[in-house]
Amino acid sequence: MGLAVSNAQGPGVSQTPDRLSPRQLVEIYRLMYLSRRLDDREILLKRQQKIYFQISAAGHEALQVGAALAMRPGYDWFFPYYRDRALCLALGLTPDEMMLQSVGAAADPSSGGRQMPTHWSSTKLHIVSTSSSTATQLLHAVGCAEAGRYFSRHPEAAAKAEGDYRAFHEPDFHDDEVSLTCVGEGSTSQGEFWEAINTASNQKLPVVFCVEDNGYAISVPVEVNTPGGNISKLVANFPNFFFAEIDGTDAEVCLRTFEAAAAHCRAGLGPAFVHGHCVRHYSHSLSDDDKLYRAAAEREADALRDPIAKLQMRLLREGVMTEAEINELEKSMDQVAAEAAERALEAPLPTLESITRHVYSEDIDPTGPLFDRENEAVGEAATEGKIKDHNPHTMADLINVCLHDEMRRDERIVIYGEDVADASREEALSEVKGKGGVFKLTAGLQTTFGSERVFNSPLAEANIVGRAVGYGVRGMKPVVEIQFFDYIWPAMHQIRNELSLMRWRSNGAWGAPVVIRVPIGGYLTGGSIYHSQSGESMFTHIPGLRVVFPSNALDANGLLRTAIRCDDPVLFLEHKRLYRETYGRAPYPGPEFAIPFGKAKTVRSGTDMTLVTYGALVPRALQAAEKAQREHGISVEIIDLRTLSPYDWEAIASSVRKTSRVIVAHEDMLSWGYGAEIAARIGDELFEDLDAPVKRIGAMDTFVAYQPILEDEILPQPEKILKAIVQLNAF
Ligand SMILES: Cc1ncc(C[n+]2csc(CCOP(=O)(O)OP(=O)(O)O)c2C)c(N)n1
Ligand SMILES: [Mg+2]
């Protein structure tokens, strides 16, 4: 296959650049061959059981080296996938760095022994830590490109600042930088592929998408994944792209195409899509045997398209190198690979103490004194906020004003999500009030701070969170909204496998301190199944993620400020029923008011039993406790956890030691719910202090129904809490 470029908008390879010089050809050959020999060395080590996994770039080397040499490491940005050894080698990772990851050494600079081989990262080269999840990285590249564009238009936003996450992120950016991201052809079936192409196209972002098409996704051939068998045909109508479909085994064609693709991006014309046909020279990985599903003739035909053999023949044919010179080069590369492996095998292994490092930021502690401003700030005069009076305000108002205050203070904050803008068509803003979110929590932000900082996303939740990861690694602070908790699930993959893991898997090199605001919960009357779900324990079960769940206006304001200023990803759950409730309204506490994570609040003191709860059950538990006191003389102490991960064990333990009886209550379903963990820990660590079994209250193990009599029965009501209080008191 020859070079075929369709390129309506940008400068193309048709400009017939100079032929590659002998020196360039030799260098390309050296990189491709070294990559292959590193793969072969790993295969040997795996067979000797000295390493534990192997997946190779064999057959993809021309495409990858061509891509790398067209880019500027440490200037452009890279979001590779798990097969990109030759790419990363050509960008500047060393064989030693690669082999240290193969053996899982402490000094593995990409992950400290946490990730499989070929999952590299390098802050110096701008290679952002990659996962094994197929296609998630494409959205990170999109968010990264958006962040680069934002900084180049607002360079003052990149200034160093103290007192929050910015003290530890010094963004570097360039007006003509490019983000390169690679993916296999099978993975183009993922929704995230299309979500990434969508935004890159729509916003004319400088992203080069490279599809490494080896015809198979493990055992699944291309025509099963891609209708018609050719991804180029399917994407051809996306606007603003430079498109090229090329022979990915011809190094020169690859290099020239990526140069043209990068030029298109650097000129601000939009993204590029390079579809390279290559071969999978070995099976999918060393755990796979392609003889099980590929015909012999097909495998033999692929073997003839080995890019290394092809380039070697060219070097000989064109007299660039003699056979002896090639042998000598190859021998010295064999030695480089072997010596790197030898050194790696001698390298010290990670200590067991290292396991918990970098789950969260080691720089900023959101439970610490920096955010302990709850008492000092309450009642301070409001100087900068939107609300300037001392009347009680709703939770919705105090969240909105916190967003205003923080956006004014920190230019790195962007806000996006579904319907969060006042009006995407700016010309309407002079005559309309604006939408500002389906619950109006972001009202007025676009009008105040402009459409570059507050904008609507496509209707695609993985897109929202995946792009936020890209923004986050560049040192920005995306505060995104998922419209309803019920629709967070398309983003779950990004939240669990990318957002929350970025710091740990890169051993602290990268982090994505994103805030995800999510309206949650029921008691709505008519909310039904898809507007009333809870499910917080699915997120508290994710290491690396902070989970916040305020029950009143003041807590929401102070905790959101901490969420925004800290350096960890935060899931900020806002109970819809509490947004405009009379309960829990508060005066505006001023623009520096902050509450540390992991600090519960005793919202009612008592002596007979402890009730641990949060969210919408706080006012319901208070009602029940008042009645218990009035009608039964039972004194209940109520602890509002406020943050669920981390949570305030000390507050729970000291109260239970005092009362010896405890109920854990939440709105979410009882079984496998958040209370199960708290109850188990109380049983384990406070057994001696208890006079009765630990009791739990939660919703029925079903979804929330539409008809109010069903909803009332399904969700825990004050009467149910009261009943449990009376029962436990009698035990
Ligand atoms: C989201 C996700 N689903 C499944 C897998 C398991 N898996 C790993 S590689 C792979 C095939 C990928 O094929 P392709 O995108 O063509 O890339 P190639 O490996 O052929 O280069 C699969 C199914 C995964 N890693 N991530
Ligand atoms: Mg493939």
Side-chain angles (χ1 to χ4, degrees), residues 460-526:
E461 287 74 13
N463 173 294
I464 294 170
V465 177
R467 285 160 68 195
V469 173
Y471 271 109
V473 297
R474 295 295 300 269
M476 285 192 67
K477 176 66 71 171
V479 181
V480 301
E481 180 177 299
I482 296 290
Q483 197 162 75
F484 292 89
F485 182 86
D486 314 71
Y487 308 121
I488 201 168
W489 312 116
M492 189 58 160
H493 193 192
Q494 286 284 351
I495 292 172
R496 178 165 177 110
N497 276 357
E498 303 295 341
L499 179 72
S500 311
L501 252 167
M502 184 58 87
R503 192 184 297 278
W504 190 81
R505 79 176 186 223
S506 66
N507 205 15
W510 301 101
V514 172
V515 179
I516 310 176
R517 294 183 35 255
V518 195
I520 189 170
Y523 300 107
L524 303 179
T525 310

Side-chain angles (χ1 to χ4, degrees), residues 184-186 212 214-217:
E185 89 296 334
E212 302 184 25
N214 57 20
Y216 274 90

